[in-house]
Amino acid sequence: MRRGAVRSVVVAGLLVLAGAGPAGAWAGPEADVAYHGRVSLGHGQLRVWMVPENEGPAALANATVRVRLSVDLADRQELARGCARAGQREVVCETGPLPEHGRGRHIGLALALRERPAEAVVRIDTWWNGGATDRNHGNNEHVVLALDTGDGYAF
């Protein structure tokens, strides 16, 4: 065997042992992260309440949900525990442990907006899932249009 060929076999073997599949894909645990909740907009404040869930088959130690807005956040925010501002229109929150076929902690955000819009589009998705494979993105990627009525819109 040539020296370069030996190196390729060793690297390929290490990738298989490390859990990478074809083309470097991660073959970590499989989980199905989902978010269910509601959004409301009223008087220049956007409220987001959600419960992260894991429909299995493996438990996750933690995940991060991202909330992106179509409008700018006010400069000052008082965010819930485990949440951080990630941009002018973006907040991320850790879910905490997500047991197999179980729920994470409730996440409640009361976000002050720079201006008082007539409507806001809220996009909710998984930013990080602990390296798990999630084949069903339909239950963790949501787009909600909230009108400035104070009414709640479910996702």
Side-chain angles (χ1 to χ4, degrees):
M1 214 176 221
R2 291 185 349 245
R3 183 176 166 155
V6 171
R7 188 176 313 136
S8 296
V9 170
V10 170
V11 169
L14 289 174
L15 288 174
V16 169
L17 289 174
W26 173 251
E30 185 170 346
D32 185 9
V33 178
Y35 306 106
H36 304 286
R38 63 183 174 271
V39 172
S40 67
L41 175 63
H43 308 291
Q45 186 176 64
L46 183 74
R47 294 183 178 273
V48 180
W49 178 86
M50 74 181 98
V51 178
E53 297 181 12
N54 178 8
E55 297 177 7
L60 293 176
N62 202 356
T64 306
V65 62
R66 174 173 56 179
V67 178
R68 294 179 290 162
L69 311 177
S70 63
V71 296
D72 290 344
L73 292 164
D75 291 336
R76 299 195 63 147
Q77 297 291 326
E78 296 215 14
L79 297 174
R81 174 182 59 92
C83 296
R85 190 172 179 156
Q88 189 61 31
R89 297 179 170 188
E90 192 170 335
V91 173
V92 293
C93 298
E94 66 178 357
T95 63
L98 292 173
E100 177 183 345
H101 302 292
R103 294 180 169 192
R105 66 181 183 87
H106 293 218
I107 298 170
L109 298 168
L111 302 171
L113 303 177
R114 182 174 303 277
E115 297 178 5
R116 187 174 172 178
E119 64 185 33
V121 176
V122 181
R123 297 177 189 282
I124 297 162
D125 63 2
T126 299
W127 191 50
W128 178 79
N129 67 1
T133 300
D134 188 339
R135 299 178 199 277
N136 179 11
H137 294 284
N139 57 7
N140 67 353
E141 294 178 356
H142 304 284
V143 179
V144 182
L145 173 64
L147 304 177
D148 185 20
T149 60
D151 294 330
Y153 298 89
F155 61 89

